[in-house]
Amino acid sequence: MAKRNTFSEDEIYDEKFDINQVKRLFHYVKPYRTQIALIAILMLSSSGLSMLIPTFFMKVMDDCIPMGMAGMKPILGYVAAILLITVYGMISLKLKIRYMSRIGQNIVHEIRSDIFNHLQELPFSYYDERPHGKIQVRVVNYVNNLSDLLSNGIINTITDLCNLFFIVGFMIAINGKLTLLCMCGLPVLVFVVVLIKRKQHKSWQIQSNKQSNLNAYIAESINGVRVTQSFVREEENIDIFNGLSRSYRKAWMRAVRYNFLMSPMVDIISNITTAFIYVLGIQWMFQPDSGITVGVLVAFTAYISRFWNPINTLASFYNSLLTAISYLERIFETIDEPVDVKDREDAVPMPPIRGEVEFQDVTFSYEPGVEILQHVNLTFSYEDGVEILKKVSFKAKKGQTVAIVGPTGAGKSTIVNLISRFYDVDSGKVLIDGIDISGVTLKSLRSQMGIMMQDSFIFSGTIMDNIRYGNQDATDEEVIEAAKVVCAHDFIMEMENGYQTAVNERGSRLSAGQRQLISFARALLACPNILIMDEATSSIDTETEILLQKGLNRLLEGRTSFIIAHRLSTIKNADEILYVDKGGIVERGNHEELMAKRGEYYRLQMAQKS
């Protein structure tokens, strides 16, 4: 995916028709090849039998009708055969729809699962670089657009291709001269397909870009609706939305215009060919030894209609395929996105963590163009891949509480993100208990950590579910005890259903402080060996913070803890305070030592008191 940070910029795409995308799609189809083959055989038998019907009409007109009443018995036989063929066709069609719909939806589910599973593994940097709406549209809309192709397109293409051979065989058997006349329209159709193929593919790529932009803006607008209404930006946002929607509509109309060229061209060629066959066929019918009778002409025109119907269906499939490829490019691009932060081949499980953390000459920079959301919702863009940390070294002993302070954008959150290995360092090492964390499995590392961020994310569900999120094995009693320790129990019990109260996505029913208290309870319940609190008390009022301090002391007890805080009153009791600025640690020491130095930390304290 192109690294775009706004909804107004199109993603980069490859203009070439890439058949490899189709080959990859058939990797998902392969497990169902036996079922598809059986359905294809069923449909081919139905189609093959239906091909006999025009021949029956020819026999009735040329042989039975001239016999008078004596021809009624064979006519009734043909009618019975036609009825049986029709019933068999109906049953075959019903089975095809049922089983191919199931197969198609299974494949759609597998593709969507692969994307979602891969998204779970991608590092923070992937999400830092991209609007989330453009990611979401790939998981939902683009995969959904493959549904019809998989449910109907594959089997229809197989049967229609075979039908063409059946039809041509019957037509040649009836009259070779008329068959050649029917084929004259095919070169024209091939010329049209070649002419519009590239423009059609490009138009669908543009359409997918515009759909992605629109979806990105809708997602952003929904997430930011409170800010929008606070600053009375509704009209401006509607104008932006309408502009994006018009661009999408224009791209869609251009794309379907090329699609709709195919079907009329097939109809025009079919009608012209049929007209020529009627004109020439009737003239040849009166010629001796032409072999053309009224029955032959009627049967042949019926086969002409059947000949062009599968071609029309194949043209529609070709349109669907071109459309699907524009979506497949985006889908497989997401699946192919490299997982920069992953387990090495020789990675081993992290032993039980004691809690000693050490940075050895750590240097780190975000990729060029990455935008990182820092505290207070400010956005900083590192266009040239600026180094955020430069040869940073420090050591936290087991059970110590380390506070990290400094100006916004100095790299405080980066330090704690590197401890959890949400990013990999450019150079240097991050050691826990003397073990380089780049050599251990991510699951074994992160499962022993507790992380609380300023934006305490609350999932849709009950309060009980949200607290238990980090420890699914915890009992209800353990959940309640954790909530009591962090002073969340009282406000939870005041809600209509207590711990079973349902909360909305992102916890919109809860105040920011309540969300953070739930986050504290979640972290306590997980019993982490290393605790990281990134502005975790920023939304808690002073009175609640005083009540919470006892719970915090219990939470920090026996654990190595890293606390990022702008409110310096929360870190005075830290064993060591690191003042981070300009890519490094400018000052370090406890509160009394740093105040005595009268340096950056001292000035920060004085600024907050004034």
Side-chain angles (χ1 to χ4, degrees):
M1 186 190 294
K3 295 177 182 178
R4 301 295 188 188
N5 290 291
T6 68
F7 53 81
S8 59
E9 295 178 86
D10 291 337
E11 299 168 74
I12 300 170
Y13 56 83
D14 187 358
E15 293 188 9
K16 295 181 180 179
F17 183 97
D18 190 358
I19 194 64
N20 290 322
Q21 306 292 353
V22 181
K23 292 179 181 177
R24 289 190 64 176
L25 178 62
F26 276 96
H27 168 74
Y28 290 92
V29 177
K30 190 176 179 180
Y32 303 95
R33 60 186 183 276
T34 302
Q35 298 176 52
I36 293 174
L38 291 174
I39 297 169
I41 291 171
L42 184 68
M43 293 305 298
L44 287 173
S45 63
S46 174
S47 298
L49 290 172
S50 69
M51 295 300 165
L52 296 172
I53 294 176
T55 305
F56 293 162
F57 287 143
M58 182 180 69
K59 295 291 185 181
V60 168
M61 297 187 74
D62 289 347
D63 299 337
C64 298
I65 292 178
M67 294 171 60
M69 291 302 297
M72 285 301 298
K73 187 175 180 180
I75 288 174
L76 291 174
Y78 287 132
V79 170
I82 291 172
L83 287 174
L84 288 174
I85 291 171
T86 302
V87 171
Y88 181 76
M90 292 171 60
I91 295 172
S92 300
L93 182 61
K94 181 179 180 179
L95 292 174
K96 172 216 159 186
I97 292 172
R98 175 186 296 176
Y99 288 104
M100 283 308 300
S101 295
R102 184 179 301 167
I103 290 171
Q105 288 307 307
N106 285 343
I107 295 172
V108 165
H109 168 72
E110 289 166 14
I111 295 173
R112 184 177 287 118
S113 293
D114 282 352
I115 298 177
F116 186 78
N117 292 343
H118 192 65
L119 289 173
Q120 301 302 298
E121 298 176 357
L122 289 172
F124 283 3
S125 57
Y126 178 83
Y127 299 96
D128 293 335
E129 298 164 6
R130 297 157 175 87
H132 295 174
K134 290 193 176 186
I135 300 172
Q136 181 183 347
V137 74
R138 298 178 181 222
V139 182
V140 182
N141 301 63
Y142 289 179
V143 177
N144 283 346
N145 287 328
L146 301 177
S147 179
D148 185 61
L149 176 71
L150 294 168
S151 298
N152 299 306
I154 295 174
I155 197 69
N156 286 350
T157 301
I158 295 172
T159 54
D160 286 338
L161 279 172
C162 294
N163 283 344
L164 278 176
F165 289 105
F166 289 157
I167 294 167
V168 171
F170 276 100
M171 290 168 69
I172 291 173
I174 293 174
N175 191 282
K177 189 188 297 185
L178 291 176
T179 303
L180 289 175
L181 183 61
C182 179
M183 297 293 183
C184 290
L186 284 178
V188 179
L189 183 63
V190 171
F191 174 76
V192 172
V193 169
V194 172
L195 185 66
I196 70 172
K197 181 187 75 171
R198 185 172 180 179
K199 291 183 177 180
Q200 189 177 7
H201 177 50
K202 182 179 178 181
S203 66
W204 279 111
Q205 287 180 320
I206 294 172
Q207 183 271 338
S208 70
N209 268 338
K210 301 306 179 185
Q211 182 182 16
S212 179
N213 293 344
L214 181 61
N215 200 78
Y217 186 70
I218 291 172
E220 181 181 290
S221 298
I222 292 172
N223 289 332
V225 68
R226 290 173 177 80
V227 178
T228 295
Q229 294 183 3
S230 298
F231 287 90
V232 199
R233 277 271 306 183
E234 292 90 343
E235 292 186 7
E236 290 86 346
N237 286 8
I238 290 171
D239 289 340
I240 295 172
F241 172 83
N242 287 336
L244 292 170
S245 183
R246 282 192 294 268
S247 296
Y248 172 69
R249 181 184 62 187
K250 182 179 179 181
W252 171 267
M253 293 302 295
R254 180 180 176 85
V256 296
R257 189 183 305 134
Y258 286 115
N259 267 24
F260 290 157
L261 281 176
M262 294 296 295
S263 183
M265 286 303 302
V266 172
D267 289 340
I268 291 170
I269 294 170
S270 171
N271 292 334
I272 291 174
T273 304
T274 304
F276 270 108
I277 286 175
Y278 271 123
V279 172
L280 296 177
I282 291 172
Q283 291 181 7
W284 292 340
M285 189 169 58
F286 294 105
Q287 294 178 4
D289 302 324
S290 65
I292 298 177
T293 63
V294 173
V296 167
L297 197 59
V298 169
F300 205 88
T301 51
Y303 281 124
I304 290 174
S305 174
R306 290 169 181 254
F307 175 80
W308 288 104
N309 279 339
I311 289 180
N312 204 351
T313 305
L314 290 170
S316 298
F317 173 77
Y318 179 75
N319 287 337
S320 300
L321 189 61
L322 285 176
T323 305
I325 285 179
S326 67
Y327 296 129
L328 286 171
E329 287 169 345
R330 294 289 181 254
I331 291 169
F332 290 136
E333 184 181 62
T334 304
I335 294 175
D336 292 340
E337 188 70 31
V339 181
D340 296 328
V341 180
K342 61 182 178 180
D343 294 340
R344 293 189 331 207
E345 291 184 2
D346 60 345
V348 296
M350 184 74 188
I353 290 176
R354 298 190 307 274
E356 185 178 281
V357 178
E358 183 178 3
F359 273 45
Q360 291 183 352
D361 294 325
V362 170
T363 297
F364 175 79
S365 58
Y366 292 104
E367 294 181 23
V370 175
E371 293 186 353
I372 304 300
L373 294 178
Q374 299 286 0
H375 307 305
V376 301
N377 296 324
L378 295 177
T379 302
F380 298 89
S381 179
Y382 302 103
E383 297 295 341
D384 300 318
V386 176
E387 290 182 342
I388 305 306
L389 301 178
K390 303 173 185 177
K391 293 189 177 297
V392 171
S393 297
F394 68 87
K395 188 172 184 178
K397 297 178 182 178
K398 174 186 175 182
Q400 273 192 330
T401 297
V402 178
I404 305 174
V405 299
T408 299
K412 304 185 297 296
S413 295
T414 300
I415 289 176
V416 295
N417 284 334
L418 292 177
I419 296 173
S420 306
R421 206 180 157 213
F422 290 128
Y423 302 92
D424 276 332
V425 300
D426 296 344
S427 62
K429 293 181 179 179
V430 179
L431 307 176
I432 295 181
D433 299 336
I435 300 173
D436 187 346
I437 64 172
S438 65
V440 302
T441 60
L442 292 172
K443 185 175 181 179
S444 66
L445 173 68
R446 294 173 184 168
S447 63
Q448 300 186 65
M449 294 185 177
I451 302 171
M452 289 176 289
M453 301 181 180
Q454 179 182 4
D455 182 14
S456 303
F457 195 93
I458 300 297
F459 297 90
S460 57
T462 65
I463 293 176
M464 180 75 75
D465 293 335
N466 272 277
I467 297 176
R468 190 183 276 129
Y469 191 83
N471 183 1
Q472 295 297 316
D473 297 327
T475 64
D476 290 357
E477 291 73 21
E478 289 171 333
V479 170
I480 294 170
E481 178 59 28
K484 287 180 178 179
V485 170
V486 300
C487 305
H489 179 74
D490 290 343
F491 87 79
I492 293 174
M493 293 307 297
E494 290 175 358
M495 304 189 78
E496 64 270 22
N497 295 314
Y499 285 86
Q500 298 304 319
T501 301
V503 290
N504 302 325
E505 181 185 351
R506 301 191 69 86
S508 57
R509 292 190 59 189
L510 304 171
S511 69
Q514 289 172 335
R515 291 197 297 269
Q516 287 190 328
L517 291 177
I518 290 175
S519 180
F520 272 111
R522 181 191 294 165
L524 177 61
L525 193 64
C527 297
N529 296 317
I530 293 178
L531 182 65
I532 294 171
M533 295 193 296
D534 190 350
E535 283 294 326
T537 60
S538 60
S539 298
I540 298 174
D541 59 79
T542 304
E543 183 179 351
T544 303
E545 184 182 354
I546 294 171
L547 293 173
L548 180 63
Q549 194 62 50
K550 183 177 179 181
L552 278 176
N553 292 336
R554 178 172 171 181
L555 188 61
L556 300 176
E557 185 179 345
R559 296 184 173 92
T560 305
S561 306
F562 293 86
I563 303 175
I564 297 175
H566 284 93
R567 188 188 294 175
L568 300 182
S569 59
T570 62
I571 62 171
K572 285 184 178 181
N573 296 325
D575 297 303
E576 185 171 27
I577 299 171
L578 306 180
Y579 188 96
V580 179
D581 193 14
K582 298 177 182 178
I585 299 174
V586 179
E587 295 176 356
R588 69 180 70 193
N590 59 35
H591 175 72
E592 290 75 17
E593 291 171 346
L594 293 180
M595 290 298 290
K597 287 183 179 180
R598 292 180 172 269
E600 297 295 334
Y601 180 79
Y602 173 82
R603 283 189 283 273
L604 194 60
Q605 280 278 6
M606 294 300 103
Q608 287 200 4
K609 289 181 179 180
S610 59

